[in-house]
Amino acid sequence: MLSAAVCSVQQERDEEPEDDGEEELRDGGLPCNVNRGGFPVDEETWDRMWRHVARIHPSGEHLEKEIRGATDLPKIPPPSVPTYQPTTTIPQRLEAIQKYIRDLQYNHTGTQFFEIKKSRPLTALMDIAKEMTREALPIKCLEAVILGIYLTNNMPGVERFPLSFQSQFSGNHFHHIVLGVHSGGRFGALGISRREDLMFKPLELRTLMDLVLDFEAAYRGYWHRLHKIRIGQYVSHDPHSVEQIEWKHSVLDVEKLSREELRKELERHTRDMRLKIGKPVPPSPTKDRRNSMGSPLHKGPGSPLRRISRAERRPSGEKKNLEQKPSGDMSGYQIRV
């Protein structure tokens, strides 16, 4: 019933103009609430979600009554988690994972269904990813990153790292994140977005610089100015690891860096990621200890979590004066990414 109702809302929502709708968390647009009550979704969360639909959709109140009062909504078959033959290549596996993420659909309901706390250990985040595959509900970009990590854990030849962007359009800031991937000397990305060219990148780009420039070009196509790029370290393939994901090993202010300086910073970050591969990782918890790892499925106290100090992050250089591009008559209009 939940999947059918949500997909009905999604179908109606996707037909409205691209410039209407809620934004990602913390991006300056309409706020996106988080489902903190777990599943099944409680009545308060449902009411909040329906109020959001009524507020943003052209036929919101009518739509709410029509769908919420229906008793014969069709069952929506959930997407199947991809499986592979031994001969399936890494690029083909990544494309299958991206298709699965895309089939879940982008979440336009105004409520993020899965609560993602970046400070949680990897093992707890993998529990949430498993729940995503069970519930098969629409997701947002951060959820897609966690799901991408989960679905590539059994691919040791593929290294994964978080890659996030902060852009600006018409005075508002927007945040987006994808999962960078590296294998066989090539870079690519997995993720989800309202925009086709701001999520999946095939495993074809030779350098991290090429990957970043590909995203930057996509942002320019939507009249967004890219301000900052945050790049994390490679993520462990151990689904029971108590490590935290390092989300911001390098923080680069694109407007403060020349192209050559940006290239050097990205090359330095690539070397840092390679160095991490050879470092030992903390042992996985035993079955007896997993109940205390801070997973959302357990109520026990969490294990101590290492905080990444500011000294470990790599800030970019001094700001350079850049020519401001005229925004024309687009002030007040929001292009969401």
Side-chain angles (χ1 to χ4, degrees), residues 94 97 101 126 129 132 139 142-153 155 160 179 181 190-191:
L94 293 176
I97 291 171
I101 291 173
M126 294 302 94
M132 290 184 208
I139 56 177
L142 181 57
E143 294 161 297
V145 167
I146 300 304
L147 185 57
I149 293 171
Y150 173 72
L151 294 174
T152 54
N153 273 338
M155 299 165 62
R160 301 82 40 85
L179 182 66
V181 292
L190 300 170

Short mmCIF file of all heavy atoms in Angstrom, two decimals, residues 94 97 101 126 129 132 139 142-153 155 160 179 181 190-191:
data_model
loop_
_atom_site.label_atom_id
_atom_site.label_comp_id
_atom_site.label_asym_id
_atom_site.label_seq_id
_atom_site.Cartn_x
_atom_site.Cartn_y
_atom_site.Cartn_z
N LEU A 94 28.43 -1.94 -12.77
CA LEU A 94 28.11 -0.59 -12.31
C LEU A 94 26.88 -0.04 -13.02
O LEU A 94 26.04 0.64 -12.40
CB LEU A 94 29.32 0.32 -12.53
CG LEU A 94 30.56 0.01 -11.68
CD1 LEU A 94 31.70 0.94 -12.06
CD2 LEU A 94 30.25 0.12 -10.19
N ILE A 97 23.87 -1.58 -11.39
CA ILE A 97 23.59 -0.94 -10.09
C ILE A 97 22.92 0.42 -10.30
O ILE A 97 21.95 0.76 -9.62
CB ILE A 97 24.89 -0.79 -9.29
CG1 ILE A 97 25.39 -2.17 -8.84
CG2 ILE A 97 24.69 0.12 -8.08
CD1 ILE A 97 26.77 -2.15 -8.22
N ILE A 101 19.25 1.77 -8.98
CA ILE A 101 19.06 3.02 -8.25
C ILE A 101 18.04 3.90 -8.98
O ILE A 101 17.15 4.50 -8.37
CB ILE A 101 20.40 3.76 -8.07
CG1 ILE A 101 21.30 2.99 -7.11
CG2 ILE A 101 20.19 5.18 -7.57
CD1 ILE A 101 22.71 3.54 -6.99
N MET A 126 25.24 0.28 6.44
CA MET A 126 24.92 -0.86 5.59
C MET A 126 23.61 -1.51 6.00
O MET A 126 22.88 -2.07 5.18
CB MET A 126 26.06 -1.88 5.60
CG MET A 126 27.36 -1.36 4.96
SD MET A 126 27.19 -0.82 3.23
CE MET A 126 26.90 0.97 3.43
N ALA A 129 21.08 0.45 4.27
CA ALA A 129 21.04 0.10 2.84
C ALA A 129 20.24 -1.17 2.61
O ALA A 129 19.48 -1.28 1.64
CB ALA A 129 22.47 -0.05 2.31
N MET A 132 16.73 -0.31 2.61
CA MET A 132 16.31 0.32 1.34
C MET A 132 15.92 -0.73 0.32
O MET A 132 14.94 -0.57 -0.42
CB MET A 132 17.45 1.17 0.79
CG MET A 132 17.76 2.44 1.57
SD MET A 132 19.04 3.40 0.70
CE MET A 132 19.78 4.25 2.09
N ILE A 139 14.32 7.41 -3.36
CA ILE A 139 15.43 7.86 -2.53
C ILE A 139 15.97 9.19 -3.02
O ILE A 139 15.66 9.64 -4.12
CB ILE A 139 16.58 6.81 -2.52
CG1 ILE A 139 17.04 6.52 -3.96
CG2 ILE A 139 16.14 5.55 -1.80
CD1 ILE A 139 18.21 5.56 -4.04
N LEU A 142 21.85 11.35 -1.03
CA LEU A 142 22.67 10.77 0.02
C LEU A 142 22.32 9.30 0.25
O LEU A 142 23.20 8.46 0.46
CB LEU A 142 22.51 11.57 1.31
CG LEU A 142 23.34 11.10 2.51
CD1 LEU A 142 24.83 11.07 2.16
CD2 LEU A 142 23.09 12.00 3.72
N GLU A 143 21.04 8.98 0.19
CA GLU A 143 20.63 7.58 0.31
C GLU A 143 21.21 6.75 -0.84
O GLU A 143 21.63 5.60 -0.64
CB GLU A 143 19.10 7.49 0.29
CG GLU A 143 18.42 8.13 1.50
CD GLU A 143 16.97 8.42 1.24
OE1 GLU A 143 16.67 9.25 0.35
OE2 GLU A 143 16.11 7.83 1.92
N ALA A 144 21.25 7.33 -2.05
CA ALA A 144 21.80 6.61 -3.20
C ALA A 144 23.28 6.31 -3.01
O ALA A 144 23.76 5.26 -3.44
CB ALA A 144 21.58 7.42 -4.47
N VAL A 145 24.01 7.21 -2.36
CA VAL A 145 25.43 6.97 -2.09
C VAL A 145 25.59 5.77 -1.15
O VAL A 145 26.42 4.88 -1.40
CB VAL A 145 26.08 8.24 -1.49
CG1 VAL A 145 27.46 7.92 -0.91
CG2 VAL A 145 26.20 9.32 -2.56
N ILE A 146 24.82 5.73 -0.08
CA ILE A 146 24.89 4.61 0.86
C ILE A 146 24.51 3.31 0.17
O ILE A 146 25.16 2.26 0.34
CB ILE A 146 23.98 4.87 2.07
CG1 ILE A 146 24.40 6.16 2.80
CG2 ILE A 146 24.01 3.69 3.03
CD1 ILE A 146 25.84 6.18 3.26
N LEU A 147 23.47 3.36 -0.65
CA LEU A 147 23.04 2.16 -1.37
C LEU A 147 24.10 1.72 -2.37
O LEU A 147 24.37 0.52 -2.53
CB LEU A 147 21.72 2.44 -2.09
CG LEU A 147 21.05 1.26 -2.79
CD1 LEU A 147 20.80 0.12 -1.82
CD2 LEU A 147 19.76 1.72 -3.45
N GLY A 148 24.74 2.68 -3.04
CA GLY A 148 25.80 2.35 -3.98
C GLY A 148 26.98 1.67 -3.31
O GLY A 148 27.57 0.72 -3.85
N ILE A 149 27.34 2.13 -2.11
CA ILE A 149 28.42 1.48 -1.35
C ILE A 149 28.04 0.04 -1.03
O ILE A 149 28.84 -0.89 -1.22
CB ILE A 149 28.71 2.27 -0.06
CG1 ILE A 149 29.31 3.64 -0.40
CG2 ILE A 149 29.65 1.50 0.86
CD1 ILE A 149 29.44 4.58 0.80
N TYR A 150 26.82 -0.15 -0.57
CA TYR A 150 26.35 -1.48 -0.20
C TYR A 150 26.39 -2.44 -1.39
O TYR A 150 26.84 -3.59 -1.28
CB TYR A 150 24.92 -1.37 0.35
CG TYR A 150 24.24 -2.69 0.62
CD1 TYR A 150 24.62 -3.49 1.69
CD2 TYR A 150 23.20 -3.12 -0.20
CE1 TYR A 150 23.98 -4.70 1.95
CE2 TYR A 150 22.55 -4.32 0.04
CZ TYR A 150 22.94 -5.10 1.12
OH TYR A 150 22.31 -6.30 1.36
N LEU A 151 25.95 -1.97 -2.55
CA LEU A 151 25.85 -2.83 -3.72
C LEU A 151 27.20 -3.08 -4.40
O LEU A 151 27.30 -3.96 -5.26
CB LEU A 151 24.87 -2.22 -4.73
CG LEU A 151 23.41 -2.14 -4.26
CD1 LEU A 151 22.57 -1.39 -5.27
CD2 LEU A 151 22.84 -3.54 -4.02
N THR A 152 28.23 -2.33 -4.03
CA THR A 152 29.57 -2.55 -4.60
C THR A 152 30.54 -3.14 -3.59
O THR A 152 31.73 -3.30 -3.90
CB THR A 152 30.15 -1.23 -5.15
OG1 THR A 152 30.11 -0.23 -4.12
CG2 THR A 152 29.36 -0.73 -6.35
N ASN A 153 30.07 -3.48 -2.40
CA ASN A 153 30.97 -4.04 -1.38
C ASN A 153 31.62 -5.35 -1.83
O ASN A 153 32.75 -5.66 -1.43
CB ASN A 153 30.20 -4.28 -0.07
CG ASN A 153 30.18 -3.05 0.81
OD1 ASN A 153 31.02 -2.17 0.68
ND2 ASN A 153 29.20 -2.98 1.70
N MET A 155 32.70 -6.04 -4.71
CA MET A 155 33.49 -5.78 -5.91
C MET A 155 34.83 -5.19 -5.47
O MET A 155 35.03 -3.97 -5.52
CB MET A 155 32.74 -4.83 -6.85
CG MET A 155 31.40 -5.40 -7.33
SD MET A 155 30.29 -4.17 -8.06
CE MET A 155 31.26 -3.64 -9.47
N ARG A 160 35.53 3.10 -3.91
CA ARG A 160 34.42 4.05 -3.84
C ARG A 160 34.78 5.21 -2.93
O ARG A 160 35.42 5.02 -1.90
CB ARG A 160 33.17 3.36 -3.28
CG ARG A 160 32.66 2.16 -4.07
CD ARG A 160 33.40 0.84 -3.77
NE ARG A 160 33.72 0.61 -2.38
CZ ARG A 160 32.87 0.06 -1.49
NH1 ARG A 160 31.69 -0.36 -1.90
NH2 ARG A 160 33.22 -0.12 -0.24
N LEU A 179 28.45 9.02 -5.56
CA LEU A 179 29.49 8.08 -5.15
C LEU A 179 30.50 7.95 -6.29
O LEU A 179 30.18 7.41 -7.36
CB LEU A 179 28.89 6.71 -4.84
CG LEU A 179 29.88 5.65 -4.36
CD1 LEU A 179 30.46 6.02 -3.01
CD2 LEU A 179 29.22 4.27 -4.30
N VAL A 181 33.59 6.37 -8.24
CA VAL A 181 34.12 5.00 -8.35
C VAL A 181 35.40 5.04 -9.18
O VAL A 181 35.55 5.86 -10.09
CB VAL A 181 33.09 4.03 -8.97
CG1 VAL A 181 31.92 3.81 -8.03
CG2 VAL A 181 32.60 4.53 -10.33
N LEU A 190 28.24 6.88 -9.40
CA LEU A 190 26.89 6.35 -9.22
C LEU A 190 26.09 7.36 -8.40
O LEU A 190 26.65 8.05 -7.56
CB LEU A 190 26.91 5.00 -8.48
CG LEU A 190 27.68 3.84 -9.12
CD1 LEU A 190 27.79 2.69 -8.12
CD2 LEU A 190 26.98 3.37 -10.39
N GLY A 191 24.78 7.41 -8.62
CA GLY A 191 23.97 8.32 -7.81
C GLY A 191 22.60 8.54 -8.40
O GLY A 191 22.18 7.85 -9.34
#
